[in-house]
């Protein structure tokens, strides 16, 4: 445990939504294959060990193909909303942050409707809560920097918590924030991720582990 004099100040925590605050329900591999086709999916997956940025990939497509791709993605996301469940430990972690008066925000590549349903269904509010309507979206640091500006804090006074190296950790690192990777299954321990450029500052297998991580390593000062 770091001494209180050497611990960094932490004033806010910014969360990803899908797979972090909510239980993973979208089969992303199936969604990517439906958008790209199986052969193209395999080719791109082999070139991107940390994962495929499907939104970025289809930005260069023509209007008709792009519209079709967005429709496929929307269909997968809509079916996911029907099965939406809060991640174990999420409500308790939010309660802990509230008790310390630490701000909490949200950045997702899902749509605003999904964020609204999440807020309404589980009674947890994150502010600001930025969806993919905010451009540019993760892994660009812009949404995280926007939240820091609205909070009037520095990026090195916040932590980004998410389950994706390519989106959440990349966004946090590029903004200059602390990063925490939620890896429930240990998938990021596999050799294919050993050579990725951006590594998280911390890695946990459940949200329950975030309490002790924050208390041991940071001065929690609003």
């Amino acid at each position: 445990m770091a001494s209180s004099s050497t611990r960094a100040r932490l004033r806010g925590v910014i969360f990803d939504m899908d797979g972090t605050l909510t239980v993973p329900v979208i089969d992303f591999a199936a969604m990517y294959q439906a958008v790209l086709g199986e052969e193209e999916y395999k080719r791109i997956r082999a070139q991107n060990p940390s994962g495929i940025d499907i939104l970025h990939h289809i930005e260069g497509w023509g209007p008709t193909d792009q519209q079709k791709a967005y429709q496929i993605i929307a269909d997968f996301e809509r079916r996911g909303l029907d099965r939406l469940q809060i991640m174990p430990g999420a409500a308790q972690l939010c309660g802990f942050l509230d008790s310390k008066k630490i701000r909490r925000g949200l950045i997702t590549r899902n749509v605003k409707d999904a964020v609204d349903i999440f807020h309404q269904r589980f009674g947890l509010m994150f502010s600001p809560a930025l969806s993919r309507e905010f451009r540019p979206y993760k892994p660009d640091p812009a949404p995280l920097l926007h939240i820091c500006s609205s909070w009037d804090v520095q990026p090195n006074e916040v932590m980004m918590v998410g389950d994706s190296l390519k989106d959440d950790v990349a966004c946090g690192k590029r903004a200059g924030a602390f990063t925490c990777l939620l890896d429930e299954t240990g998938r990021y321990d596999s050799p294919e991720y050993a050579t990725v450029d951006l590594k998280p500052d911390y890695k946990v297998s459940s949200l329950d582990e975030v309490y002790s991580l924050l208390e041991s390593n940071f001065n929690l000062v609003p």
Side-chain angles (χ1 to χ4, degrees):
M1 180 184 294
S3 69
S4 58
S5 60
T6 60
R7 293 182 211 163
R9 181 183 187 184
L10 195 74
R11 304 175 68 189
V13 180
I14 300 171
F15 294 89
D16 167 55
M17 188 174 77
D18 297 301
T20 302
L21 292 172
T22 61
V23 176
V25 291
I26 298 174
D27 185 341
F28 286 102
M31 183 174 78
Y32 297 161
Q33 287 186 61
V35 171
L36 299 168
E38 186 173 353
E39 291 304 315
E40 183 70 354
Y41 166 73
K42 288 179 179 177
R43 185 186 70 80
I44 297 173
R45 182 72 180 86
Q47 295 175 351
N48 298 272
S50 61
I52 297 172
D53 187 340
I54 194 69
L55 296 178
H56 178 74
H57 189 80
I58 65 179
E59 279 181 351
W61 291 6
T64 302
D65 289 338
Q66 197 175 79
Q67 184 176 7
K68 182 180 176 183
Y70 279 127
Q71 186 60 53
I72 292 170
I73 292 169
D75 288 343
F76 271 87
E77 291 173 339
R78 190 160 42 249
R79 292 197 296 270
L81 285 176
D82 294 337
R83 307 190 303 277
L84 197 66
Q85 299 177 57
I86 193 165
M87 185 69 81
Q92 294 85 348
L93 178 56
C94 289
F96 169 78
L97 294 174
D98 289 349
S99 74
K100 301 290 186 180
K101 296 183 171 55
I102 300 298
R103 301 170 180 86
R104 45 189 167 92
L106 186 152
I107 304 173
T108 179
R109 286 158 59 102
N110 209 323
V111 293
K112 182 179 183 298
D113 285 349
V115 176
D116 292 342
I117 289 172
F118 170 77
H119 281 155
Q120 292 161 11
R121 189 172 297 180
F122 303 115
L124 297 173
M125 295 302 296
F126 294 78
S127 182
L130 303 181
S131 57
R132 75 162 169 259
E133 286 83 357
F134 181 97
R135 299 293 185 95
Y137 36 66
K138 296 181 297 186
D140 194 284
L144 193 149
L145 294 173
H146 175 83
I147 290 178
C148 289
S149 177
S150 71
W151 284 347
D152 193 24
V153 303
Q154 298 301 311
N156 63 1
E157 296 176 318
V158 305
M159 176 180 282
M160 179 75 211
V161 179
D163 68 322
S164 169
L165 271 179
K166 69 179 179 65
D167 295 333
D168 305 316
V169 172
C171 173
K173 284 286 188 181
R174 290 168 182 167
F178 292 100
T179 57
C180 179
L181 179 67
L182 174 62
D183 185 11
E184 286 190 292
T185 62
R187 64 182 286 235
Y188 287 112
D189 293 329
S190 64
E192 65 182 304
Y193 296 107
T195 58
V196 298
D197 294 333
L198 298 170
K199 308 274 190 182
D201 297 298
Y202 303 95
K203 187 158 83 73
V204 296
S205 59
S206 75
L207 291 181
D208 291 331
E209 296 175 35
V210 178
Y211 300 87
S212 57
L213 184 162
L214 294 177
E215 290 199 300
S216 299
N217 295 282
F218 296 94
N219 278 327
L220 301 176
V221 182

